[in-house]
Amino acid sequence: MINFWKAVTLLSAVIAAAQCLTCRQCPVGIFGTCLLGSDVTCNNATESCYRGEAQFNATGTLTLHTRGCLDSDLCGKTLTGSILGAGYTSSFQCCTTNLCNGAGSVQISVIAALCCAVLASSLGGTWEL
C-alpha cells in the first residue's frame, strides 16, 4: 500500500511539472541579438511562449525584440500606443511547446567553446575543453 501512495505522489509531481511551460525570455533584443536572455518557467496561467516586436514610428528602421511567457489572449495581436510621445506598434507571435520561441543559452556556450578552440589552435597550444 505504501508503494501505491509513493507512485501516486510521483505521478502527481510529474504531471504538475509537465504542465509548466518553459520559454526563452529576452527583455530586449536589438539587431537580432538578445541582451540578458535566459530560460524561464511560466506560471500555470500562462499558456504560450511568445516572440514580440516593437517598432517605433519615428525611427521606422529600429525594431526591438522581446521573448517570454504570454497569456494566449494576446497571441497574434497588434497593439499601438506611445511612450514619452513616441508612437509604437507591437505584435506578438505565440507557440506552445518548451523553448519554441527561440534558441536556448546552450547554443551560446557551444559558440564560446568553438571560439576558444579556434583561438587555442591558432596560438599553437594544446587546450582541453
Side-chain angles (χ1 to χ4, degrees):
M1 187 66 163
I2 292 174
N3 286 337
F4 172 76
W5 289 114
K6 285 181 182 178
V8 168
T9 303
L10 180 62
L11 184 59
S12 298
V14 168
I15 290 171
Q19 291 180 349
C20 294
L21 186 63
T22 301
C23 299
R24 183 74 181 148
Q25 181 175 349
C26 178
V28 65
I30 255 181
F31 302 119
T33 302
C34 181
L35 308 174
L36 306 173
S38 64
D39 295 342
V40 63
T41 300
C42 305
N43 63 35
N44 286 335
T46 306
E47 303 157 349
S48 302
C49 297
Y50 82 95
R51 294 180 121 189
E53 292 185 353
Q55 187 169 25
F56 290 90
N57 300 337
T59 62
T61 57
L62 179 63
T63 302
L64 299 178
H65 302 274
T66 62
R67 296 178 189 170
C69 303
L70 188 68
D71 188 344
S72 61
D73 293 344
L74 292 174
C75 295
K77 303 272 182 170
T78 300
L79 306 174
T80 58
S82 65
I83 297 175
L84 301 173
Y88 69 88
T89 303
S90 61
S91 60
F92 307 99
Q93 309 305 317
C94 297
C95 55
T96 57
T97 59
N98 286 330
L99 300 174
C100 60
N101 65 334
S105 57
V106 172
Q107 289 183 342
I108 294 171
S109 299
V110 169
I111 291 170
L114 288 174
C115 289
C116 289
V118 169
L119 181 61
S121 67
S122 68
L123 294 175
T126 58
W127 295 69
E128 291 185 31
L129 296 178

